[in-house]
Amino acid sequence: MRASRWPLIGTRYLGMSVFALFTVFPFLWALSVGLSADPSGIWHFPGAFIPTDPGLGWFNRVFAEMPFFTYVGNSLILSALTVAGVLALTIPCGYALAQMEFPGRRLLFGAILLTLTLPSEVAILPNFVTISRLGLVDSYVGAVLPNLASAFGVFLMKQSFEQLPAEVIDAARVDGAGEWRVLWRVAVPLNLPAVGTLAIFTLVTAWNDYLWPAVVFYTRTKLPISVGVFNDLTGPFAVSTSLVMAAVVMAVVPVIIGFAFTQRLFLAPQALPARA
Amino acid sequence: MAKPGVHPATAYLFVAPCALVFAVFTVWPMLFNGWLAFQDYFIASRNTAWNDFANFLVLADSQAFQIALRNSMLLLLTVPLIQGGALGLALLVHRPLPGITFFRATYYLPVVITVSIAGIVWQYVFHHEGILNWLLGLVGLMEPGEGVPWLERGGWSLVAVMAFCFWKYVGYYMVLYLVGLASVPRELQEAAMLDGAGTWARFRHVTWPLLAPVAVLCTLLSTIGALKTFQEVLVLTGGEGDTMTPLLFVYRTAFSGFNFGVAGAASLMFTLVCLLVAALQMRLMGRHNPFTRSE
């Protein structure tokens, strides 16, 4: 019985490895091309997967010719503002929906649930009109504002605040703490796993957001990685595949590192994260 | 669940900031699109004029919009492929073998990689001298040097978009199936095994009934996802080679054609289609939705 299982497990690992290769081969090739000082072999497979004359020359040129760290800084600013804003708006809202009774509560929650399934992309044109009337085109605030009232965030916060033991909340209320204090001193500390999950999912979504920043910004030095690197690589850099691949590798590395530390949240989700 | 005893005014203060942003940037755009759909919008003067159904007539005559609709039907072909692949992957990695987390994480990686950056790499994979054509030559499907320029030729470029979507999203649904599989009690599996049920019988009669709600949810999410295909096309082909999709049409009409009225009409129609699919989802799933269950 036991001996006969080994071929089965071997087949499993073989299958898993083949699919893992399918997932990463574009980036393995990109890495090899970026590291190859000599670009003549990059279209000759399978040799192209092994760097010829390896060196960091192309990476140095990316740093020299592309404001890479400016893009990284912008991505950080936009992501941090989005995470802070989403938490600041959705925590009180979700808490009120979960722990308070007020007219219009069901209507508000129903409207928020409904928009979870609607295509947010059709809002880009109306939001661009709104943002330009507010004079916020080409500003960080304008890039972040439309993403703050996250339907997923409100939903997750409401569901998780409902799980808190009622006695704890009531005890704090009886002690005379105002609702605002109860929320931040009692409820949020008890609900940190859900808040952390929301923060990470929001961070990933904001970091990867491509379309809206591409629409709202026109100053190159304000662009996040997702837009800045894409514009450069499909524009001035496109002449050199080696340069493109070096830049691609640099753009992907921060995501891989961040993901490596937080993969548990994505692989065993307590709530459904957004698809992209 | 909600507690009485807190004054509604307090509750309104708590929800107001979020509700305000939600109203301005989520609800208002839908109303605005609905209004735009029946207007001529003159960008320079910001004047508008009611034009009845003229925008919809423009849509009906537009070849690009018809291609977009056709493509969004064709893109639905990715739904069974992605679901089959995701379920297969989940079954492959749901046993806790050594190193399994590494494999799961690797399969999920494309989901968290920026679509624009992933799109660039895949442009080069689809290059006529690229990896894909080399592989096809290797397995004998293609004469060496006769590579298809995947992204430039009508017909093939949509296939390329489909392949990219499969690569990008299969890991996402794999995780949902893994969550579903984790809910299948081990004792049931073991009992079936003791009864002499084979692998297929166990899957068919024990695992599948418990996994079916997850499969329905995934299929609907993936259907909406396929209908919404847009950024994937934007970064791969920019809409060349007959890869127009409804949302790309909206985007191009608004920001390249500056025809806000027609863009609004297309947005309105597309939103209604998504509402229909969402209603179907609610109907089919009801309270059995495994991810929106409140205890």
Side-chain angles (χ1 to χ4, degrees):
Chain A
M1 182 77 187
R2 236 172 196 291
S4 71
R5 293 182 55 149
W6 283 112
L8 208 67
I9 291 180
T11 319
R12 238 170 222 273
Y13 274 106
L14 184 69
M16 294 195 295
S17 306
V18 167
F19 202 86
L21 269 183
F22 168 70
T23 308
V24 297
F25 79 88
F27 294 106
L28 290 180
W29 178 69
L31 182 64
S32 167
V33 171
L35 286 172
S36 301
D38 170 18
S40 63
I42 60 174
W43 297 112
H44 297 291
F45 302 102
F49 282 98
I50 295 158
T52 43
D53 195 4
L56 294 176
W58 296 109
F59 292 90
N60 290 332
R61 271 192 62 186
V62 173
F63 282 120
E65 294 174 26
M66 183 192 277
F68 187 76
F69 286 114
T70 309
Y71 295 151
V72 173
N74 291 333
S75 281
L76 284 173
I77 293 172
L78 291 174
S79 307
L81 285 175
T82 307
V83 171
V86 165
L87 294 183
L89 290 188
T90 62
I91 287 178
C93 185
Y95 176 76
L97 287 169
Q99 297 283 349
M100 299 177 190
E101 188 61 78
F102 58 93
R105 176 173 156 270
R106 290 177 63 90
L107 176 72
L108 179 62
F109 188 59
I112 286 173
L113 264 192
L114 185 67
T115 58
L116 270 176
T117 42
L118 292 182
S120 59
E121 290 88 344
V122 298
I124 282 183
L125 168 62
N127 282 346
F128 185 75
V129 173
T130 307
I131 287 292
S132 50
R133 297 231 168 136
L134 292 172
L136 292 173
V137 172
D138 203 32
S139 72
Y140 292 122
V141 176
V144 163
L145 199 51
N147 298 327
L148 296 189
S150 153
F152 171 73
V154 173
F155 175 74
L156 184 62
M157 287 302 102
K158 174 184 179 281
Q159 300 299 94
S160 58
F161 278 124
E162 274 176 352
Q163 317 282 316
L164 295 186
E167 309 84 56
V168 183
I169 306 286
D170 288 339
R173 282 175 177 160
V174 171
D175 285 347
E179 283 299 313
W180 193 247
R181 270 181 74 90
V182 175
L183 169 59
W184 294 105
R185 295 293 170 83
V186 181
V188 168
L190 286 172
N191 200 20
L192 279 185
V195 172
T197 301
L198 175 59
I200 297 289
F201 287 172
T202 307
L203 176 72
V204 171
T205 314
W207 186 275
N208 287 335
D209 195 11
Y210 164 71
L211 199 55
W212 178 247
V215 168
V216 88
F217 283 122
Y218 46 80
T219 306
R220 186 178 175 218
T221 50
K222 289 181 184 173
L223 294 175
I225 293 189
S226 57
V227 183
V229 172
F230 181 80
N231 289 352
D232 288 351
L233 295 191
T234 49
F237 282 55
V239 288
S240 164
T241 305
S242 304
L243 211 53
V244 169
M245 290 306 144
V248 160
V249 169
M250 283 162 51
V252 166
V253 162
V255 176
I256 294 183
I257 293 174
F259 178 61
F261 284 106
T262 54
Q263 41 86 12
R264 280 180 66 95
L265 287 174
F266 295 91
L267 296 181
Q270 299 301 306
L272 197 61
R275 194 176 81 163
Chain B
M1 279 298 264
K3 310 292 180 300
V6 177
H7 199 277
T10 316
Y12 288 133
L13 282 177
F14 275 53
V15 300
C18 192
L20 181 70
V21 176
F22 178 76
V24 173
F25 293 106
T26 307
V27 178
W28 167 247
M30 282 190 258
L31 303 175
F32 189 67
N33 275 330
W35 177 77
L36 271 181
F38 301 96
Q39 304 287 323
D40 278 326
Y41 193 104
F42 304 100
I43 305 271
S45 58
R46 285 185 177 170
N47 283 333
T48 55
W50 182 267
N51 67 4
D52 295 326
F53 288 91
N55 292 330
F56 294 92
L57 292 178
V58 171
L59 281 184
D61 280 342
S62 158
Q63 207 191 348
F65 191 65
Q66 281 160 20
I67 293 174
L69 290 180
R70 185 203 68 192
N71 284 346
S72 86
M73 292 302 113
L74 288 174
L75 283 163
L76 289 178
L77 291 173
T78 58
V79 174
L81 295 178
I82 292 180
Q83 294 313 310
L87 178 57
L89 268 188
L91 290 170
L92 194 62
V93 297
H94 93 282
R95 295 272 174 75
L97 294 170
I100 204 75
T101 308
F102 168 79
F103 286 105
R104 290 179 186 174
T106 304
Y107 303 157
Y108 197 81
L109 199 59
V111 181
V112 292
I113 286 183
T114 317
V115 66
S116 54
I117 306 296
I120 290 176
V121 192
W122 276 87
Q123 285 179 8
Y124 288 80
V125 171
F126 291 131
H127 190 276
H128 68 92
E129 288 180 78
I131 304 173
L132 184 62
N133 282 334
W134 165 68
L135 274 176
L136 290 176
L138 201 66
V139 296
L141 282 175
M142 194 180 280
E143 296 293 314
E146 282 199 358
V148 177
W150 290 91
L151 295 177
E152 287 138 44
R153 193 169 296 172
W156 287 118
S157 42
L158 197 69
V159 175
V161 169
M162 291 177 179
F164 178 75
C165 290
F166 180 87
W167 174 82
K168 185 101 175 58
Y169 300 119
V170 74
Y172 177 78
Y173 297 103
M174 172 199 75
V175 164
L176 302 193
Y177 283 113
L178 278 176
V179 173
L181 283 172
S183 71
V184 178
R186 261 201 99 73
E187 304 85 67
L188 273 183
Q189 290 277 3
E190 282 161 8
M193 212 191 283
L194 284 179
D195 288 343
T199 314
W200 170 249
R202 267 180 287 143
F203 176 76
R204 176 69 191 81
H205 297 290
V206 181
T207 310
W208 181 248
L210 290 161
L211 209 55
V214 180
V216 173
L217 173 74
C218 285
T219 304
L220 285 162
L221 285 177
S222 157
T223 303
I224 294 177
L227 293 175
K228 283 180 17 178
T229 306
F230 165 29
Q231 302 197 32
E232 298 83 356
V233 175
L234 191 64
V235 300
L236 271 179
T237 69
E240 296 304 308
D242 280 354
T243 48
M244 186 61 86
T245 69
L247 283 174
L248 184 62
F249 179 86
V250 170
Y251 180 77
R252 282 260 184 276
T253 309
F255 291 105
S256 306
F258 299 107
N259 199 334
F260 286 12
V262 173
S267 296
L268 181 66
M269 286 177 62
F270 189 72
T271 307
L272 291 178
V273 170
C274 287
L275 267 179
L276 204 70
V277 178
L280 187 72
Q281 173 175 355
M282 299 287 179
R283 191 74 180 272
L284 278 172
M285 299 297 301
R287 300 195 150 270
H288 303 296
N289 185 336
F291 293 94
T292 56
R293 175 176 53 201
S294 69
E295 306 300 323

